[in-house]
Amino acid sequence: MEETYDLQEELKILDPEAVSLSFDAFGDLQLQLDGGSARKVEAARPFPLTSPDGFVVLRDAEGDEVGAIRSIAQLEGGSRRVLRAVLEASYFLPVITRVHRIDVEFRIPRWEVETDRGPRSFEISSMRSDVRQLGDGRVLLRDADGNRYDIPNRHALDAASQALIDAHL
């Protein structure tokens, strides 16, 4: 008989009422559980695109998992703001709102775009590995420097932007 695997046995879900998150004097994320001593941790989203406010994993300085927070919304206001600030900084993902031009020179596409964070110009090393179409018109791009850009729905962009994107996908 085959045993079933229970993932919840491995997960340590932290009680949101016991979690206090803050920044130390150096700007590092500090976790305090149940009023105990604070320790430096790092936060990561296991599902950053599909569930950005869902599970957040906290790891200590050695990379060992301290626990997971089921939902950011369950945290007290101050801890919620601190955690969102940390995640925003580490998951910087500008949204492309318009494509001005895509020039290709020596097989390297150079994109000039408008984003929700202002104008950007970047090169993509490989259209095959650095451009991902996720369905429903969503496109993720990674530039030559490793920065990521999101097009939530390319079909919702203006006609000129759509034509440029379609010509290069």
Side-chain angles (χ1 to χ4, degrees), residues 48-100:
L49 298 175
T50 57
S51 183
D53 279 348
F55 280 93
V56 175
V57 176
L58 300 176
R59 291 190 171 84
D60 63 19
E62 288 77 39
D64 296 326
E65 188 173 309
V66 174
I69 296 168
R70 187 180 299 274
S71 171
I72 295 172
Q74 294 175 334
L75 294 173
E76 164 277 321
S79 291
R80 184 173 49 244
R81 283 188 293 281
V82 166
L83 185 55
R84 282 204 168 120
V86 167
L87 294 171
E88 176 71 22
S90 60
Y91 290 92
F92 179 71
L93 186 66
V95 174
I96 294 175
T97 57
R98 169 172 272 140
V99 178
H100 296 294

Side-chain angles (χ1 to χ4, degrees), residues 77-162:
S79 291
R80 184 173 49 244
R81 283 188 293 281
V82 166
L83 185 55
R84 282 204 168 120
V86 167
L87 294 171
E88 176 71 22
S90 60
Y91 290 92
F92 179 71
L93 186 66
V95 174
I96 294 175
T97 57
R98 169 172 272 140
V99 178
H100 296 294
R101 61 188 304 161
I102 302 173
D103 295 321
V104 179
E105 188 174 333
F106 304 113
R107 293 185 164 185
I108 298 175
R110 180 171 188 76
W111 292 56
E112 291 184 25
V113 301
E114 195 67 38
T115 75
D116 62 340
R117 310 243 167 93
R120 296 284 193 268
S121 181
F122 57 89
E123 294 176 348
I124 294 181
S125 299
S126 167
M127 290 295 285
R128 199 173 303 184
S129 62
D130 294 331
V131 178
R132 292 181 47 209
Q133 297 182 62
L134 300 178
D136 293 333
R138 187 167 194 184
V139 179
L140 287 179
L141 304 160
R142 183 177 60 217
D143 71 14
D145 294 322
N147 301 308
R148 296 179 310 140
Y149 299 86
D150 185 21
I151 303 173
N153 182 355
R154 72 174 200 221
H155 306 297
L157 295 175
D158 63 278
S161 295
Q162 288 182 51

Side-chain angles (χ1 to χ4, degrees), residues 3-13 65:
E3 286 186 43
T4 57
Y5 180 75
D6 186 7
L7 180 61
Q8 288 189 340
E9 288 181 18
E10 276 189 42
L11 290 175
K12 179 180 180 188
I13 304 296
E65 188 173 309

